[in-house]
């Protein structure tokens, strides 16, 4: 009887452990002030591959929004120069939109907002 209840308890713990093995739930909303410089949002790496969805809306000016591996952005000042060829996914020259990109496991990413014509407020919503 003792062995059976111990087995049930261990099995329950294993199932609870597996329930938390997926990527952390991401639901982040930020409002950025963008002008001639780029603004970035850093996202933590996840242990498993994930699909990230990026939605944005600019108050005044069209902008370019990129989802990029953090390793492709050497420093915050370099975000202006990151080529769209390096992007996992992007939208260029739009006031609003949404796109998705597949991010490999254990890969830190950044969302870059840039190329505004004058100063604008950009609301960015990122989910997985």
């Amino acid at each position: 009887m003792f062995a059976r209840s111990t087995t049930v308890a261990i099995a329950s713990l294993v199932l609870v452990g597996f329930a938390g093995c997926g990527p952390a739930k991401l639901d982040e909303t930020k409002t950025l002030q963008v002008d001639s410089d780029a603004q970035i949002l850093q996202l933590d790496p996840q242990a498993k591959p994930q699909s990230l969805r990026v939605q944005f809306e600019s108050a005044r000016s069209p902008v370019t929004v990129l989802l990029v591996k953090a390793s492709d952005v050497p420093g915050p000042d370099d975000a202006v120069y990151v080529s769209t060829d390096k992007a996992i996914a992007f939208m260029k020259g739009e006031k609003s939109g949404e796109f998705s990109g597949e991010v490999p496991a254990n890969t830190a990413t950044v969302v870059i907002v840039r190329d505004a014509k004058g100063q604008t407020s950009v609301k960015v919503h990122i989910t997985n």
Side-chain angles (χ1 to χ4, degrees):
M1 183 62 116
F2 176 73
R4 182 179 223 177
S5 62
T6 304
T7 302
V8 170
I10 292 173
S12 297
L13 288 174
V14 169
L15 288 176
V16 169
F18 281 130
C21 288
K25 189 69 178 160
L26 176 65
D27 189 357
E28 186 168 340
T29 301
K30 296 278 185 182
T31 300
L32 305 171
Q33 299 303 318
V34 182
D35 51 22
S36 59
D37 291 333
Q39 296 292 323
I40 63 172
L41 293 172
Q42 296 184 346
L43 305 173
D44 294 331
Q46 298 296 315
K48 297 200 177 207
Q50 60 181 333
S51 179
L52 291 184
R53 180 173 152 213
V54 179
Q55 298 171 287
F56 67 95
E57 185 173 355
S58 173
R60 295 185 186 158
S61 167
V63 293
T64 298
V65 182
L66 302 95
L67 174 63
V68 181
K69 291 179 184 177
S71 60
D72 289 336
V73 185
D77 295 336
D78 299 316
V80 173
Y81 306 111
V82 174
S83 168
T84 55
D85 293 341
K86 296 273 189 181
I88 295 169
F90 72 96
M91 285 190 79
K92 184 175 183 176
E94 300 290 337
K95 281 188 76 173
S96 65
E98 82 175 55
F99 58 89
S100 296
E102 299 301 317
V103 178
N106 301 311
T107 304
T109 55
V110 296
V111 174
I112 300 171
V113 182
R114 66 179 193 203
D115 300 338
K117 307 293 186 232
Q119 188 169 12
T120 188
S121 174
V122 182
K123 181 178 179 183
V124 180
H125 184 206
I126 306 161
T127 56
N128 63 349

